[in-house]
Amino acid sequence: MATFFRDIFHYLKSNNVYQGTVKQFRDQQVTNLFAHKHLTAQFTRRTNLYTSSKNNNALPLGSFEFPPSLEQQEQELPPNVFERKKKSTNPPLSFPCIDQLTIRTRSLDGGPEPAYDKIVSGYSLFHHNEPFLCDHGGVLPELDIAYETWGELNEKRDNAILIQTGLSGSSHAKSHEKNVQPGWWEQFIGPGLSIDTNKYFVICTNVIGGCYGSTGPSSIDPSDGERYATRFPILTIFDMVRAQFLLLDYLGISKLHASVGSSMGGMQSLASAWLYPDRVSRLISISACARSHPYSIALRHTQRQVLMADPNWNKGFYYNSIPPHIGMKLAREIATISYRSGPEWEQRFGRRRQLEEQPPALCPDFLIETYLDHQGERFCLQYDPNSLLYISKAMDIFDMSASVLEKLNRIRSANTKKLLNAGSHNDACHVTCDTSSSISQQAFTKPSLKSTSERKHISSLASNVDKNELEDLVHGLSIIKHPSLILGVQSDILFPYWQQKEIAECLRMGGNKDVTYYELDSMYGHDTFLIDLTNVGSAIKGHLEFGG
């Protein structure tokens, strides 16, 4: 490359055009943008000549063309633009935030992609060496599930609690001797705490599709030794739960004391009770929903769009190259807006700026902007972008309505037959032996409604709720008769409290006589389940130890 630029310099000098070119860049600053673009294109083509003999688009040095003349450039400009720019008295703004992103991109050039499964350590690994069929037809030849445990399993093996995580959650919910770093639910799990490890054997997994030890898009496809990338199959929340129950089989746990989840984990807790009604004693669903609604779908859609718009995403095949960290950073900033609440930010940041004495800037300036920038920057290389795409999509398509569940069951049955016809019976054993199939007959048989006097009509939901859709959801949830705790938060904008109220009241309409619903007025928004130990923790402890 040094030889190339030296030759360019000597060529310009030997042809007596060096001084003229320098003068053009010095005196006609308005042309720099055009000249830079013009020269860059040619320099790139000549670089290809020096670096690749097979590039037919490369140009020899002798054919070097100078940028269009000043007069030609003036003709290309919109009216008055040239004169206005020439007379401008204001210097261009500086953009240190953009410069920093550029520098970071250069530092990542050449990879490798961060080893996400090494970010969290100390977990155990369950390996399932048989093909795993996903609801929409994709097959994983084998899978791994990262999990961590706390407490002891009793002799009856009936004191196990499964903690199910949110979108980006790892199995590290609580510190332990193999990983002393605080877990994401550190203050909730432990001796005498909300989830008392003196009484319960607690299990937390990283969901399939994730990147913290469980099989996901960044994992190696054993079929060819390459990363799955976007060859990874589309997942559902039910796929995640089926994989978790394979782990429970391995651990010798036939029935859970409780399935406990927040956010996406709350979806999984509902799915667990629906898929395996005889293997779950009670459930807790916090800040979740029984069907994803348009607002949350829209938020996750925008995150995926900005991520996939990053040219380094490369349709998912960015491993061993530059990861799409800019798109990932922006996606996380959008997500962070939905995780917390306006009232909290009013108290925490207000309208304060980072440097009050400095003039306003287009880069992060207000404290709320610097907070979002920090959150995005911290996260963008700690989580696999493809995992974000797949898991967020699984959340979008989650729907416990009977018609949707019945359709999904038909699709799965058809795909199971295809898998059996394509391979040996043993290769699909886990599909045919999946205990969730035992619910298929009763789950889609519409329950006979008793007299309306035995069933209190839903009156606290919005009056504009579609009655047919509501009945469909009631029918879908009617199999869940377990003692259920449903928690909602008034300041949650990602999963508004009315969605948790919908869960509770549809469970009651479906015949569940043991449903507890709490609505919290915490100002921490969706993240309340991570922060409010007093209210959330107390409700969890009460339901686990005294509920039902």
Side-chain angles (χ1 to χ4, degrees), residues 93-198:
L93 294 174
S94 60
F95 294 92
C97 53
I98 303 299
D99 297 338
Q100 184 179 10
L101 289 175
T102 302
I103 293 171
R104 189 165 198 180
T105 299
R106 289 172 182 167
S107 71
L108 297 170
D109 194 1
E113 177 75 357
Y116 301 107
D117 60 344
K118 304 303 180 185
I119 292 176
V120 179
S121 62
Y123 54 78
S124 299
L125 206 60
F126 163 64
H127 180 72
H128 183 70
N129 59 8
E130 295 177 347
F132 181 85
L133 175 66
C134 300
D135 277 331
H136 287 288
V139 176
L140 296 173
E142 58 188 38
L143 62 82
D144 291 328
I145 298 180
Y147 70 98
E148 298 176 46
T149 65
W150 303 265
E152 299 292 335
L153 194 61
N154 63 15
E155 291 184 7
K156 294 182 179 180
R157 310 183 80 82
D158 63 356
N159 68 329
I161 292 176
L162 179 61
I163 305 293
Q164 291 156 315
T165 72
L167 185 152
S168 59
S170 72
S171 59
H172 191 59
K174 172 75 176 181
S175 59
H176 52 83
E177 60 181 12
K178 293 183 180 179
N179 185 349
V180 297
Q181 296 298 317
W184 56 267
W185 234 12
E186 183 73 20
Q187 301 302 316
F188 289 77
I189 303 171
L193 298 182
S194 305
I195 302 177
D196 191 346
T197 52
N198 288 333

Side-chain angles (χ1 to χ4, degrees), residues 131-285:
F132 181 85
L133 175 66
C134 300
D135 277 331
H136 287 288
V139 176
L140 296 173
E142 58 188 38
L143 62 82
D144 291 328
I145 298 180
Y147 70 98
E148 298 176 46
T149 65
W150 303 265
E152 299 292 335
L153 194 61
N154 63 15
E155 291 184 7
K156 294 182 179 180
R157 310 183 80 82
D158 63 356
N159 68 329
I161 292 176
L162 179 61
I163 305 293
Q164 291 156 315
T165 72
L167 185 152
S168 59
S170 72
S171 59
H172 191 59
K174 172 75 176 181
S175 59
H176 52 83
E177 60 181 12
K178 293 183 180 179
N179 185 349
V180 297
Q181 296 298 317
W184 56 267
W185 234 12
E186 183 73 20
Q187 301 302 316
F188 289 77
I189 303 171
L193 298 182
S194 305
I195 302 177
D196 191 346
T197 52
N198 288 333
K199 298 179 178 180
Y200 305 114
F201 178 62
V202 182
I203 311 160
C204 185
T205 79
N206 177 222
V207 297
I208 59 169
C211 57
Y212 294 141
S214 296
T215 297
S218 60
S219 302
I220 299 297
D221 182 348
S223 302
D224 61 5
E226 300 291 335
R227 306 252 194 172
Y228 280 105
T230 46
R231 300 178 302 164
F232 198 79
I234 290 292
L235 293 174
T236 66
I237 298 296
F238 300 102
D239 291 329
M240 300 173 188
V241 170
R242 287 190 180 93
Q244 291 168 339
F245 274 75
L246 290 175
L247 168 64
L248 296 181
D249 293 340
Y250 167 75
L251 295 175
I253 298 171
S254 59
K255 189 167 186 175
L256 291 169
H257 176 73
S259 172
V260 180
S262 305
S263 190
M264 185 184 78
M267 297 176 172
Q268 294 173 67
S269 65
L270 290 172
S272 296
W274 189 87
L275 278 173
Y276 305 99
D278 297 330
R279 298 188 65 179
V280 178
S281 295
R282 68 197 68 206
L283 70 90
I284 297 177
S285 181

Side-chain angles (χ1 to χ4, degrees), residues 13 148 212 228 255 376 381 431 433 436 450 497 512 531 539:
K13 188 172 182 180
E148 298 176 46
Y212 294 141
Y228 280 105
K255 189 167 186 175
L381 293 179
V431 176
C433 297
S436 66
K450 300 179 181 179
Y497 70 90
N512 191 328
I531 301 170

Side-chain angles (χ1 to χ4, degrees), residues 415-442:
N415 289 326
T416 300
K417 292 178 181 177
K418 290 180 182 178
L419 182 63
L420 289 171
N421 293 333
S424 68
H425 176 81
N426 290 335
D427 286 341
C429 180
H430 75 279
V431 176
T432 57
C433 297
D434 186 351
T435 56
S436 66
S437 61
S438 65
I439 68 166
S440 58
Q441 294 182 352
Q442 55 177 318

Side-chain angles (χ1 to χ4, degrees), residues 26 159 174 187 217 251 370 387 407 412 483:
R26 184 186 65 215
N159 68 329
K174 172 75 176 181
Q187 301 302 316
L251 295 175
T370 61
S387 287
K407 179 180 178 181
R412 183 174 180 82

